[in-house]
Amino acid sequence: MMKILCIGALSMASFYYSQTFPASAIPEDLKKNADAVVRKDVTTIQINKIDDIKYQLYTVTTVLNKDGDSKALIYIPYEKGNSISDVKVNIYDEAGKKIKSYSKSDFGDFANNNQGTFYSDNRVMALSYTPTQYPYTVEFSYQIGDENTVFLPDFVPFNSTNVSLEEAQMKILNKSGIELKTKTYPSKYNYTSVIESDGNGEKIYTYKNVPAIDDAVLLPQPVKILPKVSFALTKFNLEGKQGSINNWSDFGAWYYNSILQPVSVSTPAIKAEVAALNLQGTTEEKVKKLYQHMQAKTRYIFVALGIGGWQPMLPDEVQKKGYGDCKGLTNYMKTLLDEAGIPSYYSVINSGISPVSFDKDFPKMGGNHVILMIPTEKGNIWLENTSQQIAYNHLSYSTTDRNVLSIRKNGIELIDTPNYPAEQNKEKQILKIKLNEDNSIQGEGNFSYTGSQYDNSMALINLSPKERNEAMKSFLGTLHFEKVEMKNFLNDKDNAVTKYDLDFKVNNYSKNAGSSIIFRAVPIYSDNVYKTEENRELPFELRQSYEDEFEINFAIPKNYKIEELPDNVNINSEFGTYKLSFVKNGEELKVSRTIRINKGLYSKEKYNDYINFRKKTINIDNSKILISKI
């Protein structure tokens, strides 16, 4: 993952310190669904010149309950070269009475390294406070100076659910003489709006009285609900490398020449490495062989030092050490392809569970991940270079259906990643089940997964056989296994398919009704609880299209006959389709079940329609079959 200078939406303004913040003054509508309330949030940004920017940050947050503690953490992320001053913290009780004060000397100073980080110059000053009562209020301010002017933070009301806001301001004073571009993105759902004004040479943006977003079922990310304002200087500095960003072409040329070109260096050892592979066949075959070779010899470790927060390691470092982060591994893979005479493009992307794309009309530094794109006559090949297990030319659900900044010598092209249709995000399940008179069943199952469902099954790859069996008990929890054994697990990295077989026994699957037996038509089904909401306030998002196709073959006990079968069912809705059908063949019964879900962002008015669709499918999955003794 790439490093971005993360400045929270905080600010310092000394005149606020004369105020008190009793919890009783919080409007009741801002307490609804809130674990914490941001009372004041003021960020003042002063741009002095291309390599000199100052932030003043001040925030007051009232924590209403224990779940709100994480919304008022006291910390300052920084890196070498930043200057930090005027650090002040006050803690107030429910009535607004000050109970604690802290200064810079009370903070600890730590490496700001996430799990998997090998080395980095990211650091964080942090203060630990353990509350003794709720509610309490944290008043926090500091100033920080930086020479990097490429990372201007967006202005949003807040970033997470269950936080409300009384007032936030961002003030920008641009003394640099450099053009500052801005763009306001209104809330698509009229959740709140930003107020813009100018005063004394400052551009001022304000939010007031923004209610909390409740963490509801299928809620889109707050970024898709709230408004924001984005900023970008047309000329900037990054660790001493200055550039311009009037358009994507301009910025891309700088990125190529300043970030990538200095580390796009092959070596005799890399040339020999490619030559030893004796690549033959089509472009696709050569890329696959190179990619799987690279996967087998490297592992992912995050590296972030200086401009290295954005600049990749040199390819020969990755080759020698056998590790790198997304930037280093992608650059190494690109160098291998260069030596094979195959053009490829380093591509910056916003990775996340819900697609976020770059704005083609507002260029600015961004992204949090890097992948590689190889154009061919048959279409683009996409390579995720951080995983040793992921299949060739497969992107996970965290990188599909959005655009990338494809870095070229003469600029940037914005290119869309694949959008896998439902039939590609597929689970296929074939079960052979023997019904026993003691109400137990014995079964054999063949399972396969593609697309985003392949991604979900990747968690099984590194488990032991025992751990996989335990995972099945949890994953297929609607069957209460007496025993289960997974066999023949396969991660087909050529075709992006995982497969495995199951042998299992389940007790109490059926029930007796006199001399008859009743059992469920679909053994493995969703046990999610779907609840309607009469006062749904926000839209809902189905993040992935997918299709589940089940074929279930029941062998009934001897001396029994099929007495009653449910009707075949075919349901169509805008959210997807569902089919269930039955075919009798002597002492055997074949049940076919298919469900398809359509991804999308749907209006709040349709939420209960979706819930009713899913309730209906679960009820039909639980349709009962009756067999009777002859």
Side-chain angles (χ1 to χ4, degrees):
M1 304 294 284
M2 298 185 293
K3 182 173 67 177
I4 297 177
L5 176 61
C6 298
I7 298 293
L10 313 169
S11 184
M12 188 284 288
S14 59
F15 64 89
Y16 282 127
Y17 276 96
S18 62
Q19 300 188 32
T20 59
F21 297 92
S24 60
I26 299 172
E28 286 301 314
D29 62 327
L30 295 186
K31 294 179 182 178
K32 181 182 178 183
N33 300 323
D35 298 322
V37 181
V38 179
R39 317 290 295 278
K40 289 284 185 182
D41 183 345
V42 184
T43 301
T44 302
I45 302 174
Q46 182 171 303
I47 306 163
N48 295 315
K49 52 185 180 178
I50 195 169
D51 59 355
D52 181 6
I53 189 168
K54 297 288 189 294
Y55 298 87
Q56 293 182 329
L57 305 111
Y58 174 86
T59 189
V60 180
T61 304
T62 297
V63 178
L64 301 178
N65 55 53
K66 186 175 179 60
D67 290 335
D69 287 338
S70 62
K71 316 294 186 183
L73 297 177
I74 307 166
Y75 67 98
I76 305 171
Y78 74 98
E79 59 186 57
K80 186 178 179 180
N82 294 152
S83 59
I84 300 169
S85 61
D86 294 335
V87 181
K88 297 179 182 178
V89 178
N90 292 320
I91 309 294
Y92 301 89
D93 65 11
E94 180 176 4
K97 179 183 176 182
K98 187 190 296 185
I99 54 177
K100 282 276 190 180
S101 290
Y102 302 94
S103 63
K104 185 176 179 180
S105 61
D106 297 308
F107 281 64
D109 196 321
F110 310 96
N112 190 13
N113 293 349
N114 296 323
Q115 184 178 9
T117 303
F118 186 56
Y119 52 85
S120 166
D121 60 5
N122 288 354
R123 298 198 64 81
V124 61
M125 290 174 52
L127 175 70
S128 177
Y129 173 73
T130 302
T132 58
Q133 60 180 356
Y134 296 92
Y136 66 94
T137 297
V138 178
E139 184 178 37
F140 177 32
S141 67
Y142 64 94
Q143 297 188 50
I144 185 167
D146 194 5
E147 65 175 20
N148 294 322
T149 52
V150 71
F151 308 109
L152 294 180
D154 290 337
F155 181 47
V156 294
F158 38 75
N159 293 296
S160 61
T161 57
N162 304 114
V163 177
S164 62
L165 171 72
E166 281 195 58
E167 183 178 6
Q169 278 192 351
M170 179 174 280
K171 303 177 180 180
I172 300 183
L173 181 60
N174 183 11
K175 296 183 174 183
S176 67
I178 301 168
E179 181 186 1
L180 175 68
K181 291 189 173 183
T182 67
K183 185 168 183 177
T184 299
Y185 299 84
S187 167
K188 294 179 180 178
Y189 305 100
N190 297 315
Y191 198 81
T192 190
S193 58
V194 65
I195 303 164
E196 301 182 25
S197 60
D198 292 302
N200 298 321
E202 288 183 327
K203 295 181 78 70
I204 302 172
Y205 300 86
T206 306
Y207 297 110
K208 288 187 176 181
N209 298 317
V210 184
I213 296 175
D214 192 21
D215 192 10
V217 176
L218 301 176
L219 182 76
Q221 290 180 299
V223 70
K224 293 192 172 183
I225 296 168
L226 297 168
K228 74 173 181 179
V229 185
S230 287
F231 308 89
L233 287 169
T234 56
K235 294 181 181 178
F236 61 84
N237 179 68
L238 175 59
E239 300 288 341
K241 294 182 182 290
Q242 297 183 359
S244 59
I245 189 166
N246 292 292
N247 49 57
W248 283 119
S249 178
D250 220 22
F251 180 55
W254 173 84
Y255 203 119
Y256 180 86
N257 290 311
S258 298
I259 302 291
L260 296 185
Q261 195 61 19
V263 294
S264 298
V265 182
S266 187
T267 63
I270 291 175
K271 293 178 188 292
E273 180 182 6
V274 174
L277 293 173
N278 191 27
L279 299 173
Q280 304 288 332
T282 64
T283 298
E284 291 77 12
E285 289 169 335
K286 293 176 183 177
V287 174
K288 182 189 290 186
K289 189 169 184 178
L290 274 171
Y291 177 65
Q292 294 179 345
H293 164 79
M294 183 276 298
Q295 282 184 300
K297 62 175 292 185
T298 61
R299 68 190 190 279
Y300 173 82
I301 292 179
F302 179 45
V303 178
L305 288 175
I307 200 170
W310 288 84
Q311 190 168 61
M313 294 168 60
L314 286 161
D316 69 319
E317 285 188 75
V318 178
Q319 184 196 44
K320 291 172 184 175
K321 295 176 179 177
Y323 62 72
D325 60 12
C326 62
K327 305 179 303 295
L329 294 169
T330 297
N331 190 46
Y332 174 52
M333 184 64 208
K334 184 180 186 307
T335 305
L336 295 176
L337 289 165
D338 288 343
E339 287 298 338
I342 300 171
S344 62
Y345 298 98
Y346 185 96
S347 299
V348 181
I349 193 168
N350 289 301
S351 175
I353 57 175
S354 185
V356 174
S357 286
F358 297 98
D359 184 345
K360 64 181 178 62
D361 298 320
F362 192 80
K364 65 173 294 186
M365 189 68 136
N368 60 6
H369 188 51
V370 173
I371 56 179
L372 196 64
M373 189 273 283
I374 302 98
T376 75
E377 292 181 357
K378 296 180 181 179
N380 295 332
I381 296 171
W382 297 92
L383 301 181
E384 168 57 67
N385 301 288
T386 59
S387 170
Q388 295 171 287
Q389 303 295 347
I390 200 167
Y392 160 77
N393 195 21
H394 173 80
L395 293 181
S396 74
Y397 53 76
S398 65
T399 49
T400 51
D401 193 24
R402 67 203 74 195
N403 64 20
V404 302
L405 304 182
S406 181
I407 313 297
R408 313 295 176 100
K409 185 175 183 179
N410 298 318
I412 279 174
E413 287 189 26
L414 276 72
I415 297 176
D416 293 334
T417 60
N419 180 15
Y420 299 146
E423 60 269 20
Q424 193 166 342
N425 299 326
K426 188 169 188 173
E427 175 186 356
K428 187 162 186 179
Q429 186 185 118
I430 300 175
L431 300 179
K432 294 181 179 178
I433 292 177
K434 180 185 176 185
L435 289 160
N436 299 317
E437 289 188 80
D438 64 359
N439 302 124
S440 70
I441 57 172
Q442 291 168 289
E444 297 176 355
N446 310 114
F447 297 77
S448 66
Y449 302 90
T450 58
S452 63
Q453 304 220 53
Y454 168 81
D455 301 329
N456 295 334
S457 67
M458 294 280 284
L460 297 167
I461 290 173
N462 294 318
L463 299 182
S464 68
K466 182 179 179 181
E467 289 170 331
R468 287 175 179 168
N469 293 341
E470 291 302 312
M472 286 299 101
K473 289 180 181 179
S474 174
F475 177 55
L476 306 178
T478 54
L479 285 175
H480 303 292
F481 294 108
E482 177 185 321
K483 64 177 183 179
V484 61
E485 181 183 6
M486 181 188 289
K487 302 186 297 185
N488 305 322
F489 184 90
L490 172 67
N491 174 22
D492 182 349
K493 296 202 295 183
D494 289 338
N495 300 297
V497 183
T498 49
K499 299 178 181 180
Y500 56 82
D501 299 328
L502 282 186
D503 285 347
F504 57 88
K505 183 177 180 182
V506 174
N507 293 326
N508 302 315
Y509 181 77
S510 60
K511 291 183 178 180
N512 293 325
S515 61
S516 299
I517 295 175
I518 300 172
F519 60 93
R520 191 170 69 238
V522 179
I524 299 170
Y525 67 100
S526 168
D527 60 352
N528 290 342
V529 177
Y530 292 97
K531 294 182 179 179
T532 57
E533 294 182 22
E534 294 308 315
N535 298 304
R536 179 81 183 194
E537 295 179 343
L538 289 167
F540 65 101
E541 183 177 23
L542 305 179
R543 289 178 176 156
Q544 291 295 325
S545 298
Y546 66 88
E547 183 176 281
D548 293 343
E549 182 183 315
F550 297 176
E551 179 185 306
I552 308 138
N553 297 283
F554 289 102
I556 66 176
K558 288 186 176 180
N559 302 318
Y560 278 78
K561 66 178 180 177
I562 299 169
E563 191 76 41
E564 290 183 16
L565 285 175
D567 294 331
N568 293 343
V569 177
N570 192 342
I571 302 173
N572 291 296
S573 86
E574 66 175 303
F575 313 110
T577 59
Y578 176 92
K579 296 179 181 179
L580 186 69
S581 63
F582 303 87
V583 176
K584 291 192 291 185
N585 182 18
E587 295 179 350
E588 293 188 350
L589 172 66
K590 177 180 176 181
V591 180
S592 299
R593 183 257 197 192
T594 303
I595 187 170
R596 176 185 291 218
I597 298 297
N598 300 327
K599 70 183 292 183
L601 197 57
Y602 297 91
S603 70
K604 63 182 181 180
E605 290 79 13
K606 295 180 178 180
Y607 180 76
N608 286 339
D609 292 338
Y610 171 72
I611 294 301
N612 290 329
F613 167 67
R614 294 313 306 266
K615 283 183 174 180
K616 189 179 293 185
T617 63
I618 290 177
N619 286 337
I620 298 169
D621 282 346
N622 275 287
S623 298
K624 300 301 188 291
I625 298 168
L626 177 69
I627 59 175
S628 299
K629 215 162 197 177
I630 299 173

